[in-house]
Amino acid sequence: AREAARRAATGATPTTPAAPAGDDASASAPSADRAAEWTALVTGSTPVVSSAPAPAPAAGAAMPAEPAPGSGFQPVPLRTPRPTQPVDIQPAAEDEEPWLFAGAGVGPAMPYSRGAASGTAASGATGSGALSGAPASNPAASSRPTVAARFDEQPSARSTPATLDDLFSGSTSTDDIGDVPPPKNKRRRRIGGWIALGIVLLLLGGIAAGGLYVWNTYEDKIREVMGWAEPKDYEAGLANGEVYVTINSGDTGMPISESLHAAGVTKTADAFYDYLIESGQNPPFQPGVYRLQKQMTSEAALTALLDPANKQEFTAQIPEGFTVQGTLERISEGTGIPLEELTTAAADASAYGVPVDPAIVAAGGQPLEGWLFPATYTFDPSVTAQSAIQTLVNRTIESLDAAGVPVEDRQRILTVASVIQREARYPQDMQKVSTVIQNRLDPNNQETFGKLQMDSTAQFGYGEMHDGTVSSSEEALNDPNPWNTYVNTGLPVGPISNPGDVAIDAAMHPADGPWLYFVTVDLNTGETIFTETYREHLKYVEQWQQWCSDNPGSGC
């Protein structure tokens, strides 16, 4: 129809289609009749029919009316009415422009919708849906792939798919024709959302961590700059409860301030010290345990520390050279712990990490002897017999480690140091006594033949160490107990007293000299003379005896 219209507009004579072979009626038709048929086709008075032979009209059927005479050529309307009969569409020549929908009728109609609902091209009664009206057996139509096969269409969202009729009638447009867009990938969108959320949380966490670090590091300065500084001291009237604070010997304002804060007395560690500086006070603090309250002001805490009524008497002063028995008595006096309870607690030396020598136990001795360090102790009011003894043992171990004593040599060094502690008074004499012990233990010694001959050992073994004299009785000198070095060669079976730091250091570092004897010639001054031979020693023994005669009741 389009080709006919174009030829009619240009005045060209339409070319007569070739008749099929064997169609004699078509071949004999005059050309004038063919022209008339074309004119009628253009004017619309005659419908377009297929090039296939038309069936013969039935008998008696009325022939179609001829066009009115003189009607002539009629203009083609803008929208040509749809033919009511199938149209045989001839394929376009290769040099001609194909029609917009050329070939569209050879397969099922493409869904004219962008939705996702299912739908197929409209089809004819046989399901072929060819626009040309060709039967399904048409080879050209059956050999071409359908639109759905070529484009892999998704089901259409419309209940009725769009057709060419809808396109020509204006109910749809070419914009509705095309591939169905792929559905949105919701899983990818969710993953992207989680990644974005993670990045945001990471940034916020970094900012929060940085702010926390700055606050913890510079909180005081930030508060000071911003005016948010909290008071260093508690307000008056908040004091409550009861706590005990220990002031050690030599403690000054700052250590005491820290002790008060640790006990919960003051609000900050430097509140008490700052108060002393601001008030210009420097009072003398006495060592001891003081009873105070929690949440006190610095002023109230100072007043309580200077009040003797708040000082708790839990102090034990233990001199050097004391035995276990004397040490336990001092602890009992200073802490109020019954002596029987302390004696029972000291029975098991292994409970405090002290090695137990079976020889000492067999001889009736105390394995803790030498392990209770002599010093001044200030105990907490909650002290027990076990904790008090453990404190003294720990202090002994500290002294041994400071002197460089090997762990396996601790008992021997304590034994030597205990004898030194009982025989000498001054540090320089202690080193010389240590030398005498070393020289007498020498196997090549031809003066004493391995015997120490120390009066302190004979007195300890015999039990007369605390009788108030420095001389040994004949009974003590001849008693064969394992501590008596007048009878037994070598060191006593164990320590005879609790030595201090100086005696332990002297046992480790004896002086350089040949001395084998010594005697104290003046008990008041502690003057002691060391000699190499026994003859020299006897001369100074006479000097000591003379001093004792001149000073009766002096402890000779």
Side-chain angles (χ1 to χ4, degrees):
R2 183 178 179 186
E3 177 67 16
R6 183 179 67 79
R7 294 181 181 275
T10 58
T13 303
T15 304
T16 303
D23 193 353
D24 297 337
S26 298
S28 63
S31 62
D33 294 339
R34 293 292 184 181
E37 291 177 4
W38 279 109
T39 303
L41 180 64
V42 170
T43 60
S45 60
T46 301
V48 179
V49 297
S50 171
S51 60
M63 298 298 293
E66 296 291 332
S71 61
F73 174 76
Q74 299 296 326
V76 179
L78 292 179
R79 178 168 296 179
T80 305
R82 288 287 290 176
T84 60
Q85 296 297 327
V87 180
D88 187 9
I89 300 177
Q90 297 295 333
E94 294 182 358
D95 57 345
E96 293 179 353
E97 179 181 0
W99 188 35
L100 177 63
F101 295 98
V106 298
M110 181 176 64
Y112 297 103
S113 173
R114 297 183 185 272
S118 63
T120 58
S123 61
T126 61
S128 63
L131 292 177
S132 64
S137 60
N138 189 344
S142 61
S143 62
R144 295 182 180 180
T146 63
V147 176
R150 288 177 305 185
F151 294 99
D152 194 15
E153 286 290 345
Q154 297 291 333
S156 174
R158 298 176 53 171
S159 60
T160 302
T163 64
L164 287 176
D165 292 338
D166 297 331
L167 181 65
F168 282 108
S169 65
S171 61
T172 186
S173 66
T174 57
D175 292 338
D176 297 332
I177 303 174
D179 294 339
V180 177
K184 296 180 180 180
N185 192 333
K186 296 182 178 181
R187 183 172 180 270
R188 182 176 298 175
R189 292 181 60 186
R190 286 196 298 269
I191 294 175
W194 282 112
I195 293 175
L197 178 61
I199 294 174
V200 171
L201 293 178
L202 183 62
L203 292 175
L204 293 177
I207 294 173
L212 182 62
Y213 171 77
V214 172
W215 176 260
N216 292 336
T217 306
Y218 305 103
E219 178 181 359
D220 296 340
K221 294 181 175 58
I222 294 174
R223 288 184 179 276
E224 183 177 354
V225 172
M226 301 300 295
W228 301 340
E230 295 183 359
K232 294 183 177 181
D233 220 342
Y234 287 117
E235 296 180 2
L238 298 178
N240 62 89
E242 185 178 84
V243 293
Y244 293 92
V245 179
T246 301
I247 297 180
N248 298 313
S249 179
D251 280 355
T252 57
M254 192 60 198
I256 295 175
S257 180
E258 293 174 351
S259 298
L260 291 173
H261 173 64
V265 177
T266 55
K267 189 173 185 179
T268 58
D270 54 356
F272 183 79
Y273 181 73
D274 290 346
Y275 172 75
L276 294 178
I277 298 299
E278 293 171 0
S279 61
Q281 300 185 61
N282 187 22
F285 295 102
Q286 299 298 323
V289 178
Y290 294 84
R291 182 179 58 193
L292 289 86
Q293 290 182 292
K294 295 182 178 181
Q295 297 183 334
M296 299 178 70
T297 63
S298 297
E299 181 180 3
L302 177 61
T303 302
L305 290 176
L306 297 180
D307 186 358
N310 292 321
K311 184 179 180 181
Q312 307 299 300
E313 296 296 336
F314 289 93
T315 301
Q317 186 176 10
I318 303 171
E320 290 88 349
F322 260 43
T323 61
V324 169
Q325 185 62 29
T327 300
L328 296 180
E329 291 174 358
R330 288 296 183 96
I331 294 176
S332 178
E333 294 172 2
T335 62
I337 300 174
L339 180 59
E340 295 79 9
E341 186 176 338
L342 288 166
T343 303
T344 302
D348 184 11
S350 62
Y352 309 102
V354 175
V356 177
D357 189 343
I360 295 177
V361 176
Q366 169 58 265
L368 277 179
E369 197 70 68
W371 288 88
L372 302 182
F373 194 83
T376 300
Y377 295 93
T378 302
F379 297 101
D380 190 89
S382 61
V383 65
T384 63
Q386 290 79 8
S387 63
I389 294 174
Q390 187 67 67
T391 300
L392 273 63
V393 172
N394 292 343
R395 179 63 181 84
T396 299
I397 295 175
E398 291 179 9
S399 181
L400 292 171
D401 292 342
V405 180
V407 175
E408 64 277 7
D409 208 21
R410 286 176 176 175
Q411 185 76 359
R412 187 185 72 84
I413 291 298
L414 285 176
T415 302
V416 174
S418 66
V419 176
I420 295 173
Q421 189 72 67
R422 292 292 300 180
E423 293 289 344
R425 185 182 300 182
Y426 303 110
Q428 60 274 18
D429 291 341
M430 289 185 179
Q431 287 184 325
K432 291 181 179 180
V433 172
S434 180
T435 302
V436 172
I437 294 174
Q438 185 181 43
N439 290 339
R440 285 189 171 224
L441 293 176
D442 187 351
N444 298 323
N445 170 25
Q446 298 299 315
E447 284 284 336
T448 62
F449 300 98
K451 292 181 179 180
L452 295 185
Q453 296 178 335
M454 302 288 178
D455 283 86
S456 58
T457 62
Q459 294 171 357
F460 177 84
Y462 194 70
E464 63 180 22
M465 179 176 285
H466 301 291
D467 63 354
T469 64
V470 296
S471 300
S472 301
S473 63
E474 287 294 329
E475 293 80 8
L477 293 177
N478 295 311
D479 188 79
N481 64 78
W483 285 274
N484 188 357
T485 58
Y486 277 91
V487 178
N488 305 299
T489 59
L491 292 173
V493 68
I496 62 173
S497 69
N498 296 307
D501 287 325
V502 178
I504 292 175
D505 184 74
M508 287 291 294
H509 306 94
D512 188 14
W515 310 294
L516 291 172
Y517 305 92
F518 65 90
V519 59
T520 300
V521 295
D522 191 330
L523 298 183
N524 291 336
T525 61
E527 180 183 359
T528 303
I529 299 176
F530 293 83
T531 57
E532 184 178 353
T533 63
Y534 184 65
R535 181 175 296 182
E536 290 178 303
H537 174 65
L538 290 178
K539 182 175 64 174
Y540 293 108
V541 168
E542 292 177 0
Q543 182 178 342
W544 169 69
Q545 292 173 348
Q546 183 62 42
W547 185 89
C548 287
S549 299
D550 297 338
N551 297 276
S554 57
C556 292

